[in-house]
Amino acid sequence: MNKEEMPIDYKEIRMNQVQRWLTFLSERFDPISHFIMIALFVYAHYLVADASKFVIVEPHLIIYVGLGTAVFFMKLRFYDEIKDYEVDVEKNPTRPLPRGLLKQFDVKKAIELCIILEIILFTSCGLSAFTAILVAIGYSLLMYKEFFIPKLIRPHLTTYATSHTVVTFFLSLAIFSALSKFKLWRMDLDFYYFSIMSWLLFNIFELGRKIYQPCEERKGIDTYSSVWGKPGAVLLVLIHALIACTLLLHVSTIQFYFMLKILSVQLALLVLVGLIYLIGKSENTGKFFRLFSSVYILLVYLSVIVNYFVRGLN
């Protein structure tokens, strides 16, 4: 039998594709770390919404919102794989797409599927949520297309990043809309404070993950530490953290003095880690700062959750 005449084992092809996707997700969208982050992110939103005197949240809605949010974040990862493909081919050839694990076509089809799932899951929470998630999806598509000005915006690393993380603000509002049934433009003021805070926290994540020691920098790849210098990069992170804390303390259902103490400790730790990074010169101090910048976001959302448990006990 000629090779052309051999029967095609479609089951084997499908299994191979599944294995490729599992490998991709384990490398570029680690299930454990992302599950923790998304769970804290969504549950914190649920507690803020549930504490509002204007809202009675149906508990089962958190399932739709949680799944929809997970799909949304995964889609953002897919966006980055497509947008960064040409740079990755040159600078990061071991990443999934440059090395041929998946094709760009595969990822683009996955993006389409994600958008469909997001609409279905959020619409299950009501018409207001449908409208809100469409706005979030719309902004994310503008972000994906780099606002149709890629040559203008790409050279400006900080502007590029912060304009992209604004999508978190719209996702946050969509979550509140799904849980509260409020329209996007007629929400409790607390929800707007919390959504802006979430945008700032994700800025900290984005900034922190691209801050390196000089010995770690790679030629031709801009980082916040190479653009702003070490002190400037750390100061940028601290300013975001301070404003985020201030906004969180303006949420009316937050236990002010309890949260003030917790946020002060967390902010002090961030300052300490920043000082270690500034004084240090080794790769380990750079890695430590990047790690804590990610952990800091989790700590803030965890603090919000603890706040409402304490509030419920009083």
Side-chain angles (χ1 to χ4, degrees):
M1 182 182 292
N2 296 329
K3 184 176 180 180
E4 291 79 5
E5 297 174 342
M6 292 178 66
I8 299 173
D9 191 337
Y10 290 104
K11 183 177 180 181
E12 183 179 339
I13 292 173
R14 285 195 298 271
M15 284 302 297
N16 185 44
Q17 190 73 349
V18 169
Q19 289 169 356
R20 287 170 181 266
W21 273 106
L22 290 175
T23 301
F24 171 87
L25 292 174
S26 67
E27 292 182 17
R28 305 299 292 155
F29 194 77
D30 177 56
I32 296 175
S33 61
H34 280 86
F35 172 80
I36 294 171
M37 185 274 289
I38 292 167
L40 292 175
F41 178 74
V42 171
Y43 193 48
H45 280 74
Y46 171 82
L47 292 174
V48 172
D50 192 53
S52 172
K53 62 182 178 181
F54 304 109
V55 177
I56 298 177
V57 178
E58 300 171 29
H60 72 277
L61 295 180
I62 198 171
I63 298 173
Y64 299 125
V65 170
L67 291 173
T69 302
V71 172
F72 194 95
F73 276 115
M74 186 165 60
K75 179 193 68 182
L76 296 182
R77 177 71 266 160
F78 295 158
Y79 282 172
D80 286 343
E81 295 301 308
I82 297 293
K83 289 190 298 177
D84 297 340
Y85 177 74
E86 291 183 6
V87 175
D88 285 344
V89 168
E90 181 181 354
K91 303 291 184 180
N92 302 296
T94 59
R95 286 185 178 175
L97 265 63
R99 75 171 192 261
L101 181 70
L102 293 171
K103 297 178 181 179
Q104 289 191 62
F105 173 81
D106 298 323
V107 179
K108 287 177 180 178
K109 296 302 289 185
I111 288 171
E112 292 174 5
L113 178 60
C114 285
I115 291 174
I116 292 170
L117 289 174
E118 289 160 23
I119 292 172
I120 291 172
L121 288 164
F122 273 85
T123 303
S124 300
C125 301
L127 186 59
S128 295
F130 168 72
T131 304
I133 197 61
L134 283 185
V135 173
I137 291 169
Y139 189 88
S140 78
L141 288 170
L142 283 175
M143 183 185 82
Y144 174 50
K145 292 297 183 180
E146 298 177 319
F147 306 100
F148 300 101
I149 49 171
K151 291 182 180 179
L152 181 63
I153 197 172
R154 264 190 176 266
H156 304 284
L157 182 64
T158 309
T159 302
Y160 184 91
T162 53
S163 64
H164 280 56
T165 51
V166 171
V167 74
T168 312
F169 168 74
F170 291 111
L171 174 60
S172 186
L173 288 180
I175 292 172
F176 281 129
S177 183
L179 294 172
S180 68
K181 306 296 179 70
F182 285 175
K183 291 181 173 62
L184 198 62
W185 54 91
R186 295 184 63 186
M187 289 193 175
D188 187 331
L189 187 59
D190 286 348
F191 300 170
Y192 295 115
Y193 285 141
F194 199 84
S195 297
I196 298 171
M197 182 212 70
S198 292
W199 169 54
L200 293 169
L201 287 181
F202 277 87
N203 275 343
I204 293 171
F205 171 76
E206 171 58 29
L207 294 167
R209 75 188 184 92
K210 290 184 180 178
I211 292 178
Y212 295 89
Q213 291 289 6
C215 63
E216 299 178 282
E217 302 280 9
R218 291 194 290 168
K219 187 177 180 180
I221 298 180
D222 285 338
T223 64
Y224 300 103
S225 44
S226 68
V227 171
W228 292 87
K230 288 173 58 174
V234 171
L235 183 61
L236 201 59
V237 169
L238 293 177
I239 289 172
H240 276 80
L242 184 61
I243 299 173
C245 291
T246 303
L247 285 168
L248 180 55
L249 291 172
H250 275 78
V251 175
S252 64
T253 54
I254 288 289
Q255 302 265 85
F256 183 86
Y257 291 107
F258 173 80
M259 186 59 73
L260 179 62
K261 292 176 184 177
I262 293 179
L263 293 177
S264 297
V265 171
Q266 292 171 354
L267 198 56
L269 286 174
L270 186 59
V271 170
L272 178 61
V273 173
L275 288 173
I276 292 171
Y277 161 76
L278 289 173
I279 296 169
K281 296 181 180 179
S282 68
E283 288 186 19
N284 288 335
T285 55
K287 290 177 180 177
F288 185 43
F289 186 81
R290 292 194 294 276
L291 174 63
F292 191 77
S293 296
S294 299
V295 171
Y296 181 79
I297 303 174
L298 303 181
L299 290 175
V300 173
Y301 284 121
L302 183 60
S303 300
V304 172
I305 293 168
V306 171
N307 161 84
Y308 285 106
F309 276 106
V310 171
R311 185 173 184 265
L313 294 174
N314 293 337

